[in-house]
Structure formats: C-alpha cells, structure tokens
Amino acid sequence: MVEGMIRHFTRELKRGALAIVNWIAPGVCFACEMTLIDPHGLCEYCLAQLQDERARTLYRLVPPPGVRRILGVGPYQAPLDQAVLRLKHQRPALARGLAFALCHLHEKDFAAWRGLKPILVPITLHPERLQMRGYNQSIELAREMSARLGFELQRAALLRVGPMRVQHASNSLARQAQLIDSFTINPRLASYLAGESAKGRPIVLVDDVITTGATLTAASIALRRAGIQTIDAAVIAWAMPRYQL
C-alpha cells in the first residue's frame, strides 16, 4: 500500500512539474511552432494544411477488427509524427492542440455521435511505463476531447494486465496474438459500462497512434467480454502502409 502511494505521488509530481513548464512557456502551434495567442495549440495556416492533406491523401483509416469506425487527423508523418512524439515524452500540453485538430476536422462526425452520448475510454498504459513517463498521453487527449465535445470520460475503464513490452512481431496477426489478453475491464466500472446507464451508448477508444491496429483490437475484445457491443475509436495519426487504399 505504501509503495503504491509513493508511485502515485511520484507520478502526480512529474505531471505537475510538466504542467508548470507548459504553463510558463508561450503557447506554440504544434505543427510549425509559431507563437500563438489563441491557446488551442494550432495556427490557422497549419489547420488548413491538415484539412488539405486529408482531402488529397491516398490513405484512409480502416477500422481494425472489433472496431466499428475510426476517426483520425492524418498519416503518421510531418508534422504529426514529431508532435505525437513530443506529446508522449515531454509535452502533455500538446494534447490540447492535437485534440482540437481531431475535433475540428471531424466536427460533423462528432456532432452526429452526440445524440448517442458516447463514452470516451483512453487506452491505458502499463503501470511501469506510466510511472516512468508520469502521465498517459491518451488520457490527456481524451480529457481535452471530453472538455471540447461534452462527452463522458471514463479514464480508468481499461486496465493493462499484459507485459510492458510486446516482443517484435512480423505482422499484425502476430502482434494481435501477443496482445490478446493484455487488457481487462476495471472491475469497479464493469457493471456500469455493461448496465442500463450505458446501454446502447458507443464506447470511443482514444489513442495517439494506430500502427497495426492490434492494440485497439485487444482493447475491444476486453470491452466485448464485458458485454459492450458498439466500439469506435479516435486517434491522432495512423501508419500509412497499413491503411493504403
């Protein structure tokens, strides 16, 4: 118990320190790093560029097995690749700009979902990785999305129970086999998510990047085992070769 309290305190201390650094530093566009007055984290020029990229891209997001529909900002290439890396390792405040881009580019989609009262469920990190990093980037993204869209957020719905590192897999099927039992539903929330209060409401898994789709599929398996049928996903970027048209 004492060890758990120490880990929690250390994690919150790291998160607080990062928040202070990001508050002191001037707001910048996550794509071009231009100083911003508007705090959402993305300048109008780069937002237009992202919109154009989506319009002309040769790639699209194909939902992995277990996921009905998936929304994203764009391919895992400049500027999204570096923005996601910074979000993961040093700049949790970038979640604001990235979530803004996701919500803005899919404004009509999210508006159509609003009547269904979706529940945002971020992909959880392994406890050891969470302790090292100090925060979960997927939770940061989901928190910003919840604030912007008004969707319910259940940040602790999923628990990571598999190994911290998945061995190298040559393809998505091999990776899926390794991840198949790596998630479980938080027992404190299982009855709520599968009960009348959440019945018929889609669960929207939130993550930063999708590569093979194995992580989202593994999470959807855990949700379906708990009786949840409608599962969607929202990500920032996707690896292009896996989703080529």
Side-chain angles (χ1 to χ4, degrees), residues 5-240:
M5 292 176 64
I6 293 174
R7 285 201 302 267
H8 176 75
F9 175 76
T10 303
R11 183 168 66 246
E12 291 304 310
L13 186 63
K14 287 181 180 178
R15 189 171 184 276
L18 285 166
I20 291 172
V21 169
N22 285 300
W23 178 75
I24 294 173
V28 294
C29 172
F30 74 74
C32 68
E33 299 189 347
M34 181 183 75
T35 301
L36 297 173
I37 297 176
D38 190 328
H40 62 54
L42 185 64
C43 72
E44 293 300 319
Y45 173 79
C46 289
L47 178 60
Q49 291 292 101
L50 285 173
Q51 290 173 323
D52 290 344
E53 174 65 22
R54 286 191 58 82
R56 66 172 180 265
T57 184
L58 296 177
Y59 302 92
R60 66 183 175 93
L61 235 50
V62 176
V67 176
R68 179 184 64 169
R69 188 180 184 189
I70 183 168
L71 303 178
V73 175
Y76 189 68
Q77 61 187 31
L80 290 178
D81 53 356
Q82 292 303 309
V84 167
L85 285 174
R86 293 198 301 271
L87 168 69
K88 279 186 174 183
H89 300 295
Q90 56 185 330
R91 294 287 301 279
L94 282 175
R96 177 179 297 174
L98 291 166
F100 168 79
L102 178 63
C103 295
H104 184 84
L105 291 172
H106 293 284
E107 185 176 3
K108 292 182 179 178
D109 297 293
F110 285 124
W113 285 3
R114 187 168 287 113
L116 301 175
K117 299 182 179 179
I119 301 173
L120 301 177
V121 172
I123 294 294
T124 187
L125 290 177
H126 190 281
E128 293 180 27
R129 191 175 297 281
L130 180 60
Q131 183 180 5
M132 290 188 298
R133 190 169 295 171
Y135 64 94
N136 179 348
Q137 72 277 3
S138 297
I139 289 179
E140 300 300 320
L141 287 169
R143 181 184 289 114
E144 293 293 339
M145 291 175 63
S146 177
R148 185 170 294 278
L149 299 170
F151 292 176
E152 179 181 343
L153 170 62
Q154 289 293 342
R155 53 178 290 174
L158 287 173
L159 299 178
R160 195 72 174 256
V161 294
M164 184 172 73
R165 288 183 176 85
V166 176
Q167 296 179 353
H168 176 72
S170 58
N171 56 55
S172 60
L173 291 177
R175 180 174 170 82
Q176 181 60 62
Q178 295 176 12
L179 284 168
I180 194 75
D181 292 318
S182 59
F183 293 96
T184 189
I185 297 293
N186 188 330
R188 293 181 300 171
L189 295 171
S191 59
Y192 169 71
L193 292 175
E196 289 299 320
S197 298
K199 186 175 182 179
R201 298 168 63 186
I203 296 295
V204 181
L205 294 169
V206 179
D207 206 1
D208 53 353
V209 179
I210 178 174
T211 50
T212 65
T215 299
L216 290 177
T217 295
S220 73
I221 289 172
L223 291 167
R224 290 184 185 281
R225 284 174 176 169
I228 298 159
Q229 297 301 315
T230 307
I231 302 166
D232 298 308
V235 301
I236 298 303
W238 63 89
M240 293 186 294

